[in-house]
Amino acid sequence: MRKWISWGQEIPLEQLSRSSIRDFLDWVYDDAVEQGGENPERTSNKARDHVRVVAAWAWENDIIESLPRFPKPRPQRDVAGRQYLSKAELNAFYFATYQMRRPRVWKQPHSFGQYWRSAIVLFFNYGLDTGTIWKTKTTHEPLLWRHVFWSHESPDRQSKLRSRYGWLFYRRVKTNKSFYRPMNLAVNAHLRRLQPPTLVPEEPIFVGGTARPNAVFKRLIALAGIRDKVDIENGVAKDWLLNDLRKTCATYYDEHMPESSIEILGHSVSGVTYRHYAHRDPLAFKAIMTIPQPSAFMALPQGIEGECPCSRRKFAGG
């Protein structure tokens, strides 16, 4: 973790103890206070969770003989309301894409809404950055067709894992860290749906983000009838942003398989500890292949398109 490096104590994993962890967490808390953080307790508890993940990996791989005792988490104040979309809202969000109006000049092989439906599925399953889906800045590396591998074998030569639905490669915008992730049934079906008859490897997979994808996202939220977020402290309503889909992804992965979201979302865990932490691919693999999908996401794999999988009510538009 960057905070561990900033702390500067350089304690090796083999010498990790409750006292050293407590000293580190106290430093994190004091540093958050000095930086004017609104919730230093939450910052300290988040760092505690990251250290626990690293310690658990070290114990599982016989780097340390036993897990150190951890100080109890600090009582923290939840400063905001719900920051993630429920599955009912994700379903409404998905089906609202059928009402999206295409731009005036639209020459793509699929509807505007189809690209957004597939993007939503990838946001939910991988917690991707907006710049990874749509290249909104020149420095972004978007998903290209050459990043999709339909074979069972992993394109990462260091991995022996096999995925029956293929693999996806991408980089994080913030850290530039690369990932080879398995595709589950929902992801596979939606990318297959977008695949052009003549595939050009260097072509981007997704279009329709425009220069301001959050503006399109807000219109889509309105079509879905989803209420704004509300800060529980001051009662101020806030707009949903595409970054909230990343928070949604983290929420459901931690609920499904604790500690998996840190690896799947590529949170910053750099430096000495990262060399150990980076090999938690089997955890991410299992989580991605088994996470329960919103019912709307499974309509396409079941051969149902353009209608609700429950009521079979057809949706207007595309």
Side-chain angles (χ1 to χ4, degrees):
M1 294 181 302
R2 289 181 298 184
K3 290 186 181 299
W4 185 273
I5 297 173
S6 300
W7 183 39
Q9 298 296 324
E10 298 184 358
I11 297 175
L13 282 173
E14 295 82 354
Q15 299 178 19
L16 202 63
S17 64
R18 185 181 186 184
S19 60
S20 61
I21 296 171
R22 184 176 58 247
D23 291 343
F24 167 65
L25 296 180
D26 288 343
W27 176 85
V28 171
Y29 176 84
D30 293 338
D31 181 67
V33 172
E34 290 180 6
Q35 298 296 328
E38 296 180 355
N39 198 349
E41 295 85 2
R42 182 178 181 277
T43 303
S44 175
N45 290 339
K46 187 175 181 180
R48 177 182 180 273
D49 291 340
H50 288 181
V51 175
R52 284 188 63 189
V53 172
V54 175
W57 182 93
W59 177 71
E60 292 170 1
N61 290 271
D62 298 325
I63 297 175
I64 58 177
E65 294 183 357
S66 61
L67 285 171
R69 293 178 59 203
F70 275 72
K72 292 183 178 180
R74 294 175 181 265
Q76 71 179 45
R77 175 173 50 88
D78 293 325
V79 299
R82 181 166 55 83
Q83 299 294 308
Y84 66 94
L85 292 162
S86 68
K87 285 192 174 179
E89 289 171 330
L90 286 169
N91 287 335
F93 183 40
Y94 183 93
F95 291 133
T97 59
Y98 286 94
Q99 305 174 46
M100 298 179 77
R101 295 181 179 179
R102 67 179 185 178
R104 292 182 179 179
V105 180
W106 184 255
K107 299 180 181 180
Q108 302 302 325
H110 302 287
S111 68
F112 190 71
Q114 181 63 60
Y115 287 101
W116 271 84
R117 284 191 289 280
S118 300
I120 294 165
V121 172
L122 266 68
F123 276 125
F124 176 83
N125 282 280
Y126 302 113
L128 299 177
D129 298 298
T130 304
T132 305
I133 296 289
W134 298 289
K135 186 177 180 178
T136 55
K137 295 182 180 180
T138 56
T139 55
H140 292 165
E141 181 181 7
L143 284 171
L144 308 175
W145 281 113
R146 64 178 171 84
H147 294 151
V148 179
F149 303 86
W150 302 113
S151 61
H152 294 183
E153 294 78 14
S154 171
D156 183 2
R157 296 181 180 180
Q158 298 181 354
S159 175
K160 296 181 180 180
L161 298 171
R162 290 171 59 87
S163 167
R164 62 183 297 189
Y165 301 113
W167 296 82
L168 189 67
F169 170 85
Y170 58 88
R171 296 182 190 275
R172 268 221 69 193
V173 168
K174 186 177 181 180
T175 62
N176 204 37
K177 184 178 183 294
S178 60
F179 296 89
Y180 294 92
R181 292 299 188 215
M183 291 191 285
N184 53 35
L185 179 57
V187 173
N188 177 284
H190 283 81
L191 290 184
R192 286 281 189 190
R193 182 69 177 82
L194 292 181
Q195 186 175 2
T198 304
L199 194 149
V200 180
E202 297 300 323
E203 286 291 321
I205 297 175
F206 293 97
V207 294
T210 74
R212 299 175 59 196
N214 268 308
V216 180
F217 183 70
K218 290 177 182 178
R219 293 198 296 270
L220 190 54
I221 286 289
L223 287 173
I226 298 173
R227 296 179 180 178
D228 291 339
K229 297 183 296 183
V230 178
D231 191 311
I232 61 174
E233 283 194 329
N234 53 32
V236 176
K238 298 181 179 179
D239 292 331
W240 291 98
L241 301 174
L242 281 165
N243 188 55
D244 291 309
L245 291 176
R246 186 170 168 81
K247 298 175 184 177
T248 298
C249 172
T251 299
Y252 284 106
Y253 270 114
D254 279 340
E255 180 183 279
H256 172 61
M257 193 170 293
E259 301 177 354
S260 62
S261 71
I262 296 176
E263 172 62 15
I264 292 169
L265 273 70
H267 285 156
S268 298
V269 186
S270 56
V272 175
T273 56
Y274 186 75
R275 291 202 297 269
H276 303 293
Y277 183 83
H279 299 288
R280 295 176 61 85
D281 285 346
L283 174 66
F285 181 93
K286 184 177 180 181
I288 291 170
M289 300 304 288
T290 59
I291 186 170
Q293 302 288 319
S295 59
F297 292 9
M298 298 306 294
L300 186 59
Q302 294 170 7
I304 306 169
E305 188 172 10
E307 60 184 37
C308 175
C310 301
S311 65
R312 295 299 179 93
R313 178 173 62 86
K314 289 191 175 295
F315 296 95

